[in-house]
Amino acid sequence: MSKNLTTREEDYSKWYNELVVKADLAENSGVRGCMVIKPYGYAIWEKMQAELDRMFKETGHQNAYFPLFVPKSMFEAEEKNAEGFAKECAIVTHYRLKNDPDKPGKLMVDPNAKLEEELIVRPTSEAIIWSTYKGWVQSYRDLPLLINQWANVVRWEMRTRLFLRTAEFLWQEGHTAHATRKEAIEESEKMMNVYADFVQNFMAIPVIKGLKTETERFAGAEETYCIEALMQDGKALQAGTSHFLGQNFAKAFDVKFANAEGKQEYVWGTSWGVSTRLMGALVMTHSDDKGLVLPPNLAPIQVVIVPIYKSDEQLQAISAAVAIVSAALRKLNISVKYDDRTTQKPGFKFAEWELKGVPVRIAVGPKDLENGTFEVARRDNLSKEVIAADGIENYIATLLSQIQTDLFNNALSYRESHVTEVNNFEEFKSVLEGKGGFVSAHWDGTAATEEKIKELTKATIRCIPLDRVEEAGSCVFTGNSSVGRVLFAKAY
Amino acid sequence: MSKNLTTREEDYSKWYNELVVKADLAENSGVRGCMVIKPYGYAIWEKMQAELDRMFKETGHQNAYFPLFVPKSMFEAEEKNAEGFAKECAIVTHYRLKNDPDKPGKLMVDPNAKLEEELIVRPTSEAIIWSTYKGWVQSYRDLPLLINQWANVVRWEMRTRLFLRTAEFLWQEGHTAHATRKEAIEESEKMMNVYADFVQNFMAIPVIKGLKTETERFAGAEETYCIEALMQDGKALQAGTSHFLGQNFAKAFDVKFANAEGKQEYVWGTSWGVSTRLMGALVMTHSDDKGLVLPPNLAPIQVVIVPIYKSDEQLQAISAAVAIVSAALRKLNISVKYDDRTTQKPGFKFAEWELKGVPVRIAVGPKDLENGTFEVARRDNLSKEVIAADGIENYIATLLSQIQTDLFNNALSYRESHVTEVNNFEEFKSVLEGKGGFVSAHWDGTAATEEKIKELTKATIRCIPLDRVEEAGSCVFTGNSSVGRVLFAKAY
């Protein structure tokens, strides 16, 4: 199966598109720009959801659900936010179909069922949520509101790619309200850290924490915190964002509270989200030319066991041994699949599970039974070892955690070797056109320079790293003065 | 707080609406017919989801996700289904807003951004899913497909009520594909049984299993299985449906498979769903004039502990004792809240937790500490007992399971006393106008009679019970011959 996969070197973009489909993660649907997330892909997303949901609840957040639709007048209340999303809104204008008198068996939009006010399919939910918060907040005692929502959103993108950019996608969006500016900023930073923790420790993807420039900031935010990851082709991918909204939405929706002194003040807000886009980051960080490579934490199947046999008696003996090891593994909460299909040969099965990224494969034949051993293969580095059957479950448990660590470290060393400091624009361009990755350069702080560099190189400022050193320098493009380096990259 | 709640006797409908809002389950939003599900209500829905999801997976189903939108041509492919939902479709016609030149700061639909083909916001997903299944099924080896989706759907209802009937609601929809008619029927029945098991054992709501008449059947199904519950006002509520779709969608979307002999056949289908409507059933089955009554299985907080004190020293001593019992309860996976707010009096707290339906309340004051006891109150029957602190966690665990059982049995005995056999139309009407509930009557099997009875009494045939006895009789309305009784009722 994997033979048919385009290699990354041949065409990275084609490799990605093929892999997502062939590994049964997702496929394009009959609806422009919308994807179908297939069961195997959805099982990975469910693991992400469960872990994030746990982390949100541990940090004091509760889930709720707000409407899919936003009336136009509500949508446009916060002007910058509205302006930022206006060009990519799906708009409901009618609420009924009727039989088409000219085409028997066909339906048409009923012109008599036009809505008085158009409804926007939410591209993000600040407007509907802040219009609700108005009713929930009277006094400082009602604050903070710490709410999260798991939902679908729609942004009408013209050029779409599975997971990375789709007209509809799934995400979670946190929306919090606070009594003070300080508390809201702390919340934004806390959630950026939760995302970084999740992406690094659960998905094994290293990230750089930073702030967006004004150009790249969320429409309606005062500050956008982000975590930026680096894909194997040297392009960056924004893996999550957390926005400090100031009092913008509170003012747009008149959300005030009486402080301890009884004085009316506007509420301070944050919002933060990650989406099914993370599935794309997962694929592009770890996978190889044979297919998907899944970190054990995210693998729906962590261990696959393939029997090698020539006779039914052999299969029976193998199956008996497999039953024992499977039970032992499951006791350690390791998910196991025994692939005893009689319709496929072992080589076919090996290739299929490699394509699907199962972290550990155990093969077992009559010789192994005799010797009391199993052959254990790692998906990530394709190494194999022969391991004694007795106590193998502990070996596998340790191996899975080793694979998780190794995947992170490999991605980290790739990332570290792809952050390049440059001091002039020739270097800047040659790094971008060469090995790619993040280019660390001085910038004069103006949107005009940022825009000009983007035009010339397609690179954008991914972030102003939170840990950057303040140093005087001169802008890599204009030579004007700069207070520190920022990270540029081409990005998804 | 509960003093303000309208009583059921005064106005059942008003009681329901007030209770849903006051108990923080949900509220109306600024979007016509769409609700906001508040954190407390959503926490209950999450418990339902988790349990159902577990049951679906145990019966071999996997989750996936399909697009929110259905192109009109795809929507109308299965004619009966399209016709059934055409009148309640939200329709996306445009994909961009622009600045309104006449109104500064306002947006308008961009007339140049009209979609070539209108998109229907899914009222149900058979069309989009079967158009996808076409690509997934070639051979009998690809069957069965056992897929579930958790999603939002939109049905443009004119008269809406929180949870019971909203323009947007949350649900799960299972969509399965099978090689044989028999297998598909078995699946439909299996899922009806899963629903009955869930609603009875988890939600403590007794249901009657049955088949819908042709009039009440899902648009596009050959047979609709349902579970019907009875609310405290004598009206029925359809709690879940499972449809045998025959080959209708397979034919509409040309989904064929090669059977073991290599012959092409159309696939057989089922679909099944339950929704946030179940939240309405939950409220209307168990709750009372003081507020919500939650079955322990569904209660986000199972035990609330309220300290009764006059001095800080007393509160400290109580808090120390509470810490011990809380830890012991949590060890048994019982969720506990210690309400030590200093801003509210015990009486206020008692009323608030009664309103919110917490199954067990523990009150503890200085006297209790002296005696080594706690006062334990049940929310369902409002009884109180003084219990020794030592080992109280086991007492509470048993009590919670007793409450779960008692709630079911109470609802069951109410239901049993509200199924009335009648043999003429006068009796039929007098039962409906009197105590209400299910009226068990002979019916001649025609849609015309069903329609006529509905016009005259507002009662519909809720189901043909699966366990009905075949007996010759004469229709309660026309006197024509009948083969057995069916259940009529007024319904939500």
Side-chain angles (χ1 to χ4, degrees):
Chain A
M1 308 188 69
S2 61
K3 274 177 206 152
N4 302 322
L5 199 60
T6 299
T7 66
R8 288 165 292 176
E9 185 147 348
E10 280 176 283
D11 187 336
Y12 190 83
S13 173
K14 205 171 161 204
W15 165 81
Y16 173 80
N17 293 339
E18 281 181 15
L19 179 50
V20 168
V21 173
K22 289 192 183 206
D24 280 338
L25 300 181
E27 65 184 35
N28 286 308
S29 75
V31 191
R32 213 204 120 284
C34 294
M35 66 180 159
V36 171
I37 307 180
K38 299 176 78 173
Y40 193 64
Y42 201 83
I44 298 171
W45 175 242
E46 280 182 315
K47 291 203 159 215
M48 293 190 197
Q49 280 191 301
E51 179 69 6
L52 282 168
D53 200 68
R54 192 188 62 71
M55 294 174 90
F56 298 156
K57 284 173 178 159
E58 263 185 9
T59 45
H61 303 87
Q62 292 180 295
N63 289 329
Y65 188 77
F66 298 86
L68 171 67
F69 299 131
V70 188
K72 188 174 73 67
S73 59
M74 194 188 280
F75 180 78
E76 66 198 3
E78 209 294 322
E79 282 190 39
K80 278 192 184 159
N81 185 252
E83 201 188 305
F85 287 99
K87 290 200 182 69
E88 48 191 48
C89 286
I91 307 158
V92 176
T93 56
H94 291 74
Y95 59 84
R96 195 165 60 217
L97 292 166
K98 64 169 203 169
N99 291 320
D100 188 334
D102 299 331
K103 298 176 192 158
K106 302 288 174 190
L107 297 167
M108 59 179 282
V109 174
D110 185 341
N112 294 323
K114 193 166 187 303
L115 291 170
E116 276 180 44
E117 181 176 13
E118 296 89 353
L119 297 174
I120 314 304
V121 182
R122 62 181 164 215
T124 182
S125 299
E126 279 77 6
I128 183 76
I129 289 180
W130 280 88
S131 80
T132 308
Y133 282 180
K134 181 173 168 57
W136 292 5
V137 178
Q138 276 89 42
S139 136
Y140 70 96
R141 287 189 199 88
D142 302 320
L143 295 172
L145 288 175
L146 302 173
I147 308 254
N148 177 60
Q149 161 170 280
W150 289 96
N152 53 344
V153 285
V154 172
R155 296 179 186 174
W156 205 259
E157 302 277 0
M158 281 305 166
R159 267 176 297 177
T160 60
R161 290 188 70 189
L162 292 168
F163 291 124
L164 297 171
R165 197 171 290 278
T166 48
E168 181 193 14
F169 57 88
L170 303 183
W171 79 344
Q172 61 65 220
E173 46 183 325
H175 295 270
T176 70
H178 306 264
T180 66
R181 175 186 185 89
K182 180 165 170 287
E183 209 184 297
I185 290 177
E186 280 168 5
E187 168 79 6
S188 320
E189 289 175 352
K190 180 197 281 177
M191 298 320 291
M192 173 198 62
N193 285 321
V194 164
Y195 287 153
D197 178 5
F198 169 76
V199 173
Q200 301 204 134
N201 297 323
F202 204 71
M203 301 184 69
I205 301 176
V207 294
I208 292 170
K209 300 177 198 173
L211 280 168
K212 288 288 180 192
T213 61
E214 198 182 338
T215 311
E216 299 280 329
R217 202 177 280 158
F218 178 72
E222 290 205 0
E223 204 73 272
T224 289
Y225 295 85
C226 64
I227 53 172
E228 295 285 325
L230 191 63
M231 304 296 101
Q232 291 178 46
D233 62 346
K235 284 170 78 175
L237 185 144
Q238 173 180 300
T241 49
S242 179
H243 315 295
F244 168 59
L245 303 175
Q247 296 174 313
N248 293 344
F249 286 90
K251 286 178 180 166
F253 292 96
D254 193 35
V255 186
K256 288 181 194 161
F257 71 102
N259 66 17
E261 289 78 42
K263 224 187 97 194
Q264 292 287 309
E265 288 185 44
Y266 284 110
V267 166
W268 299 85
T270 85
S271 65
W272 28 274
V274 297
S275 74
T276 37
R277 196 159 205 247
L278 284 177
M279 293 286 294
L282 178 70
V283 172
M284 287 200 293
T285 301
H286 303 302
S287 301
D288 64 23
D289 296 343
K290 286 179 178 287
L292 219 52
V293 174
L294 291 175
N297 284 347
L298 285 171
I301 302 167
Q302 293 174 309
V303 176
V304 65
I305 307 180
V306 178
I308 320 276
Y309 60 95
K310 291 195 174 129
S311 69
D312 280 359
E313 291 73 40
Q314 285 179 351
L315 178 59
Q316 275 174 29
I318 291 168
S319 297
V322 166
I324 294 166
V325 69
S326 297
L329 287 167
R330 289 200 182 102
K331 244 189 195 159
L332 299 178
N333 283 320
I334 295 168
S335 59
V336 188
K337 182 176 178 70
Y338 179 38
D339 184 359
D340 60 351
R341 283 177 293 175
T342 53
T343 46
Q344 309 293 356
K345 298 243 159 92
F348 178 94
K349 294 179 185 177
F350 285 15
E352 180 169 332
W353 298 116
E354 276 172 5
L355 178 63
K356 291 205 159 185
V358 175
V360 170
R361 180 188 73 219
I362 297 178
V364 48
K367 270 270 162 57
D368 296 298
L369 290 190
E370 268 172 43
N371 301 335
T373 58
F374 291 114
E375 185 196 82
V376 177
R378 285 172 66 148
R379 172 64 187 90
D380 59 332
N381 61 17
L382 303 170
S383 67
K384 288 184 216 171
E385 279 187 284
V386 174
I387 304 293
D390 194 35
I392 195 172
E393 65 274 15
N394 297 316
Y395 174 85
I396 300 284
T398 308
L399 183 62
L400 287 170
S401 106
Q402 187 62 49
I403 293 172
Q404 181 80 25
T405 309
D406 289 354
L407 284 174
F408 177 78
N409 286 336
N410 287 342
L412 182 62
S413 70
Y414 173 82
R415 207 276 309 284
E416 282 177 343
S417 66
H418 284 79
V419 181
T420 313
E421 284 202 0
V422 302
N423 293 308
N424 64 59
F425 201 55
E426 285 314 304
E427 274 185 333
F428 186 102
K429 286 188 291 186
S430 97
V431 170
L432 272 180
E433 274 147 41
K435 70 174 183 177
F438 291 109
V439 179
S440 175
H442 278 284
W443 161 63
D444 63 15
T446 70
T449 301
E450 202 178 351
E451 181 60 29
K452 198 78 199 170
I453 292 176
K454 187 181 176 182
E455 271 174 43
L456 292 169
T457 66
K458 290 186 182 155
T460 49
I461 300 179
R462 301 320 303 152
C463 71
I464 305 160
L466 289 190
D467 64 357
R468 80 159 168 182
V469 182
E470 303 253 323
E471 59 171 24
S474 47
C475 175
V476 77
F477 186 68
T478 61
N480 293 339
S481 75
S482 149
V483 294
R485 293 174 182 274
V486 298
L487 293 179
F488 288 85
K490 294 185 193 172
Y492 281 96
Chain B
M1 309 185 67
S2 61
K3 275 176 204 151
N4 303 322
L5 198 60
T6 299
T7 65
R8 288 165 293 175
E9 183 146 351
E10 279 176 283
D11 187 337
Y12 191 81
S13 173
K14 204 170 161 206
W15 165 81
Y16 173 81
N17 294 340
E18 281 181 16
L19 179 49
V20 167
V21 173
K22 290 192 184 207
D24 279 337
L25 300 181
E27 65 183 35
N28 286 308
S29 75
V31 192
R32 212 205 119 284
C34 293
M35 65 180 159
V36 172
I37 307 180
K38 299 176 79 172
Y40 193 64
Y42 200 83
I44 298 171
W45 176 241
E46 280 182 315
K47 293 205 159 214
M48 293 191 198
Q49 281 191 299
E51 179 69 6
L52 283 168
D53 199 68
R54 191 188 63 70
M55 295 173 91
F56 298 156
K57 284 174 179 160
E58 264 186 10
T59 45
H61 303 86
Q62 293 180 295
N63 288 329
Y65 189 76
F66 298 84
L68 170 68
F69 298 132
V70 188
K72 188 173 73 66
S73 58
M74 194 187 281
F75 180 78
E76 67 200 2
E78 208 295 323
E79 282 191 40
K80 277 192 185 157
N81 185 251
E83 200 189 304
F85 287 100
K87 290 200 182 68
E88 48 191 48
C89 286
I91 306 158
V92 175
T93 56
H94 292 74
Y95 59 85
R96 194 165 61 218
L97 292 166
K98 63 170 203 167
N99 291 320
D100 188 332
D102 300 332
K103 297 176 191 158
K106 302 288 174 189
L107 297 167
M108 60 178 281
V109 175
D110 185 343
N112 294 322
K114 195 169 188 299
L115 291 170
E116 277 180 43
E117 181 177 12
E118 296 88 354
L119 298 174
I120 314 305
V121 181
R122 61 181 166 216
T124 181
S125 299
E126 280 77 7
I128 183 75
I129 289 180
W130 281 87
S131 80
T132 308
Y133 282 180
K134 181 173 170 55
W136 292 4
V137 178
Q138 276 87 43
S139 136
Y140 69 97
R141 288 191 199 89
D142 301 322
L143 296 171
L145 288 174
L146 302 173
I147 309 254
N148 176 60
Q149 161 171 281
W150 290 96
N152 53 345
V153 284
V154 172
R155 297 179 186 175
W156 205 259
E157 303 276 2
M158 282 304 165
R159 267 176 297 177
T160 61
R161 289 187 71 189
L162 291 169
F163 291 124
L164 297 170
R165 198 171 289 277
T166 47
E168 181 193 13
F169 57 87
L170 302 183
W171 79 345
Q172 61 66 220
E173 46 183 326
H175 296 269
T176 70
H178 306 265
T180 65
R181 175 186 183 90
K182 180 164 171 288
E183 209 184 298
I185 290 176
E186 280 167 5
E187 169 79 7
S188 322
E189 288 174 352
K190 180 197 282 177
M191 299 321 291
M192 173 198 62
N193 285 321
V194 164
Y195 287 153
D197 179 5
F198 169 76
V199 173
Q200 300 203 137
N201 298 322
F202 205 72
M203 301 184 68
I205 301 175
V207 295
I208 293 170
K209 300 177 198 174
L211 280 167
K212 289 288 181 192
T213 61
E214 198 182 340
T215 310
E216 298 281 329
R217 201 177 282 159
F218 179 72
E222 290 204 0
E223 204 72 272
T224 288
Y225 294 85
C226 63
I227 53 171
E228 294 286 325
L230 190 63
M231 304 296 100
Q232 292 177 45
D233 61 347
K235 284 170 79 175
L237 184 144
Q238 173 180 302
T241 49
S242 178
H243 316 294
F244 168 59
L245 303 175
Q247 295 174 315
N248 293 344
F249 285 89
K251 285 179 179 164
F253 291 95
D254 193 34
V255 186
K256 288 181 193 163
F257 70 103
N259 67 17
E261 288 79 43
K263 225 187 98 195
Q264 292 287 308
E265 288 184 44
Y266 284 110
V267 166
W268 299 86
T270 86
S271 65
W272 28 274
V274 297
S275 73
T276 37
R277 194 160 206 249
L278 284 177
M279 293 285 295
L282 179 70
V283 172
M284 287 199 295
T285 301
H286 303 301
S287 300
D288 63 23
D289 296 342
K290 285 179 177 288
L292 220 52
V293 174
L294 292 175
N297 284 346
L298 285 172
I301 302 167
Q302 293 173 309
V303 176
V304 64
I305 307 180
V306 178
I308 320 277
Y309 61 94
K310 290 197 174 126
S311 69
D312 280 358
E313 290 73 40
Q314 286 179 352
L315 177 58
Q316 275 174 30
I318 290 169
S319 298
V322 166
I324 294 166
V325 68
S326 297
L329 287 167
R330 291 201 181 101
K331 246 192 194 157
L332 300 178
N333 283 319
I334 294 168
S335 59
V336 187
K337 182 176 178 72
Y338 179 39
D339 184 0
D340 59 351
R341 285 177 292 176
T342 53
T343 47
Q344 309 293 357
K345 299 241 160 90
F348 178 93
K349 294 178 185 178
F350 284 15
E352 180 170 332
W353 298 117
E354 276 172 4
L355 178 62
K356 291 204 159 186
V358 175
V360 169
R361 179 187 73 221
I362 297 178
V364 47
K367 270 271 162 56
D368 296 297
L369 290 191
E370 269 173 43
N371 302 335
T373 58
F374 291 115
E375 184 195 84
V376 177
R378 286 172 65 148
R379 172 62 186 91
D380 60 330
N381 61 18
L382 303 169
S383 67
K384 288 185 219 174
E385 278 186 285
V386 174
I387 304 293
D390 195 35
I392 195 172
E393 64 275 17
N394 297 316
Y395 175 84
I396 300 284
T398 308
L399 182 62
L400 288 170
S401 105
Q402 187 62 50
I403 293 172
Q404 181 79 26
T405 309
D406 289 354
L407 284 175
F408 178 79
N409 287 335
N410 286 342
L412 182 63
S413 70
Y414 174 81
R415 207 273 314 281
E416 282 177 343
S417 66
H418 285 79
V419 181
T420 312
E421 285 202 1
V422 303
N423 293 308
N424 63 59
F425 202 57
E426 285 313 305
E427 273 184 335
F428 186 102
K429 286 188 290 186
S430 96
V431 171
L432 272 180
E433 275 147 43
K435 69 175 182 175
F438 291 110
V439 180
S440 174
H442 278 284
W443 162 61
D444 63 16
T446 70
T449 300
E450 203 178 351
E451 181 60 31
K452 197 79 199 172
I453 292 175
K454 186 180 176 183
E455 272 174 42
L456 292 169
T457 66
K458 289 187 183 156
T460 49
I461 300 179
R462 301 319 303 152
C463 71
I464 305 160
L466 288 190
D467 63 358
R468 81 160 169 183
V469 182
E470 302 253 323
E471 58 171 26
S474 45
C475 174
V476 77
F477 186 69
T478 61
N480 294 340
S481 75
S482 149
V483 295
R485 291 172 183 274
V486 298
L487 294 179
F488 288 85
K490 294 185 194 173
Y492 280 96

